[in-house]
Amino acid sequence: MQGMGYIKKYRFSASTVLIILLCMFFFSTCIDKEKDKTKDAAAVVNYNSYSGSASCVNCHKTIYESHINTAHFHTSEIASEKTIRGSFDVGQNTFTYTSGGVVRMEKAKDSLYQVAYIRGAERIRQHFDIVTGSGTKGQTYLNWSGENLYQLPVSYFTTASSWCNSPGMPNKIVYFRPITSRCLECHTTYAEKLSPEKTEPELFDKGRMILGVDCEKCHGPAARHVEFQTQNPTEKKGMFIINPATFTRKQSLDLCALCHGGRLQKTKPSFQFTAGDKLSDYFLIDSTAKDASNIDVHGNQYGLLAASKCFQRSTTLTCITCHNAHENEQGKTEIFSQRCINCHNNDHADGKLCKMTSTISAEELKKNCTKCHMPQLPSKAIAVLLQGNDTLTPATMHTHLIKNYPDETRKVLAFIKAGQSLQKNDKH
């Protein structure tokens, strides 16, 4: 009997302990959930999270002054005579549609407009408000209509130094396309919405927008960083800021793929992804194999790079292996070639710098890697109708599918033999 009492007592004690442990578990789980809610709430990005790149100049003057000359920084800005590439001079300021309608670029009282005329009568007049595109390939323009943004019908094509029909728009009628937050996510650093998700057209707060792809696109919202460093000027460690140099390969690629990874279907509101985040937490990623020949040279540079042997054989190659986001390196073919040579040197697999070493001098090889292996190809996505043309004129840009292109190599050899400059007008 005493033994049975001991067993009952033991069971009672064990049951009590188990209940206490379960209570502690559920209590701690509730606390953790509350912590998660607090963390999630704090992690929501809004306009006040940002400081603006001008706040970086006090401590990072050299980098700032270099970055403001890049295409990224100028991919969106306030429209003005200085920022708009196209001409407003009479005879150079019109685009005529196949239906006979005309859009004329006009100045009036220090303002700039696209004005549509049908049979000589003015039908609609819309103000140039925002320029998108650095002008390297071209520009398109946005207009504020209340709290909505619309793409204007006429764009500018740099190669032809001419006004053109905005890409993808009809050539028979004057059409104004609504702009979405996903468009702005790649052409601005931040744009605050006033409308709930799935509202169309979307509403934006024009006073809470940060134009251009600036410092905070890659280093994260910096308001806390600027506040802390201002109050603690002797602190050498950068607090509350992101250093992409510390990223894993995947983090680095995800940051660039946000805008250079093709069409992504978002699962969370735009602008919530920030540097260092996992892209698949914010977008549906198509994991099925894709034929690189079907990927356009514009918009999905990551997809093309990922299909390249260079990328697949490396454990470290990322976009910033070859691109310096702080510098304007457009047209500097030799710089990019040198970055190729950093890996493809005489110690490479077959012991040769290049299979063309017997045909091209070492000096020429050092300048022209991308001409043969990343040639400029026409884009299907960015193709425009120029004045009087019935067929589309594509923009050309360097493909990021790195491989041998025999036809391009023959062109390069012909240029070198003729003693001509391969670097002239080349834009990487």
Side-chain angles (χ1 to χ4, degrees):
M1 293 294 292
Q2 288 181 346
M4 289 295 292
Y6 177 80
I7 292 171
K8 287 181 180 180
K9 182 179 180 182
Y10 176 81
R11 284 178 177 172
F12 176 79
S13 300
S15 299
T16 304
V17 170
L18 179 60
I19 291 169
I20 292 171
L21 288 173
L22 285 171
C23 290
M24 291 176 65
F25 171 77
F26 286 117
F27 181 71
S28 63
T29 301
C30 290
I31 292 174
D32 287 340
K33 285 183 177 179
E34 289 303 313
K35 285 182 179 178
D36 287 343
K37 288 179 182 178
T38 304
K39 181 181 178 182
D40 290 343
V44 172
V45 177
N46 58 40
Y47 182 76
N48 293 327
S49 306
Y50 292 86
S51 62
S53 60
S55 65
C56 304
V57 70
N58 291 332
C59 300
H60 309 282
K61 186 173 185 292
T62 301
I63 292 175
Y64 171 81
E65 290 180 346
S66 175
H67 178 64
I68 61 175
N69 294 311
T70 64
H72 273 141
F73 188 83
H74 292 285
T75 198
S76 64
E77 48 197 337
I78 297 296
S80 67
E81 288 188 63
K82 182 179 179 181
T83 58
I84 296 172
R85 294 291 185 93
S87 174
F88 285 78
D89 295 339
V90 175
Q92 301 177 52
N93 65 333
T94 61
F95 180 84
T96 302
Y97 290 79
T98 55
S99 61
V102 174
V103 171
R104 185 177 298 153
M105 276 42 75
E106 297 181 359
K107 301 177 188 178
K109 297 181 180 179
D110 297 324
S111 292
L112 307 171
Y113 297 91
Q114 288 195 12
V115 188
Y117 293 88
I118 306 296
R119 299 184 184 88
E122 180 179 324
R123 298 295 184 183
I124 188 168
R125 173 182 293 263
Q126 296 293 347
H127 192 261
F128 282 87
D129 288 313
I130 296 174
V131 175
T132 58
S134 66
T136 302
K137 301 299 178 184
Q139 292 180 325
T140 196
Y141 310 98
L142 310 184
N143 164 259
W144 281 108
S145 178
E147 293 165 332
N148 301 125
L149 268 174
Y150 290 90
Q151 182 181 16
L152 292 172
V154 175
S155 294
Y156 179 76
F157 193 56
T158 302
T159 305
S161 301
S162 173
W163 296 107
C164 64
N165 197 30
S166 290
M169 288 200 183
N171 189 28
K172 294 182 179 180
I173 59 172
V174 178
Y175 180 74
F176 297 83
R177 179 162 48 200
I179 295 299
T180 68
S181 54
R182 180 63 186 133
C183 297
L184 295 176
E185 193 165 23
C186 290
H187 284 281
T188 69
T189 295
Y190 182 78
E192 191 150 300
K193 283 182 60 174
L194 294 171
S195 56
E197 286 297 304
K198 298 184 179 180
T199 300
E200 295 181 2
E202 294 177 84
L203 305 176
F204 300 98
D205 187 336
K206 65 178 67 176
R208 296 169 74 86
M209 183 177 287
I210 303 172
L211 298 178
V213 172
D214 74 1
C215 311
E216 291 171 287
K217 197 73 171 182
C218 297
H219 293 277
R224 291 181 68 198
H225 168 70
V226 172
E227 180 183 16
F228 177 85
Q229 302 298 154
T230 301
Q231 294 174 357
N232 301 273
T234 59
E235 175 59 62
K236 300 302 180 183
K237 181 181 178 181
M239 303 296 290
F240 308 112
I241 198 69
I242 295 167
N243 180 4
T246 65
F247 282 177
T248 64
R249 188 190 195 197
K250 188 68 170 64
Q251 283 178 308
S252 182
L253 291 168
D254 276 2
L255 175 57
C256 297
L258 173 68
C259 298
H260 297 281
R263 293 183 181 275
L264 301 174
Q265 183 180 344
K266 64 183 183 181
T267 56
K268 293 181 182 178
S270 294
F271 296 103
Q272 292 309 301
F273 172 95
T274 57
D277 285 343
K278 189 177 180 181
L279 197 64
S280 59
D281 286 342
Y282 298 83
F283 297 88
L284 290 178
I285 307 297
D286 185 0
S287 59
T288 60
K290 291 184 177 180
D291 182 353
S293 63
N294 293 326
I295 301 177
D296 194 76
V297 292
H298 171 80
N300 194 359
Q301 290 87 348
Y302 169 68
L304 292 170
L305 178 65
S308 305
K309 287 183 179 179
C310 280
F311 181 88
Q312 294 170 358
R313 292 177 177 177
S314 172
T315 58
T316 59
L317 180 63
T318 67
C319 306
I320 61 173
T321 302
C322 300
H323 293 278
N324 183 347
H326 293 151
E327 298 282 344
N328 180 359
E329 297 178 330
Q330 292 175 8
K332 298 179 180 179
T333 309
E334 189 169 351
I335 289 177
F336 289 100
S337 294
Q338 184 56 55
R339 288 169 188 162
C340 296
I341 293 169
N342 287 341
C343 295
H344 296 273
N345 49 48
N346 289 325
D347 297 326
H348 201 53
D350 56 7
K352 291 183 179 180
L353 171 64
C354 174
K355 291 181 180 180
M356 303 302 294
T357 49
S358 60
T359 308
I360 305 175
S361 70
E363 192 61 33
E364 290 292 346
L365 282 174
K366 290 178 182 178
K367 299 177 183 177
N368 299 308
C369 299
T370 57
K371 280 290 185 179
C372 289
H373 299 285
M374 299 178 67
Q376 291 210 29
L377 300 177
S379 168
K380 295 177 183 177
I382 303 298
V384 300
L385 282 167
L386 297 174
Q387 189 78 41
N389 287 7
D390 294 326
T391 57
L392 293 169
T393 300
T396 60
M397 51 199 74
H398 280 279
T399 178
H400 282 69
L401 180 61
I402 307 168
K403 66 173 189 174
N404 291 323
Y405 293 85
D407 290 343
E408 297 299 324
T409 300
R410 282 190 283 272
K411 291 178 186 178
V412 169
L413 291 174
F415 269 101
I416 292 174
K417 187 175 181 180
Q420 297 183 38
S421 172
L422 288 165
Q423 279 69 49
K424 186 178 181 181
N425 297 323
D426 184 41
K427 299 290 184 184
H428 195 283

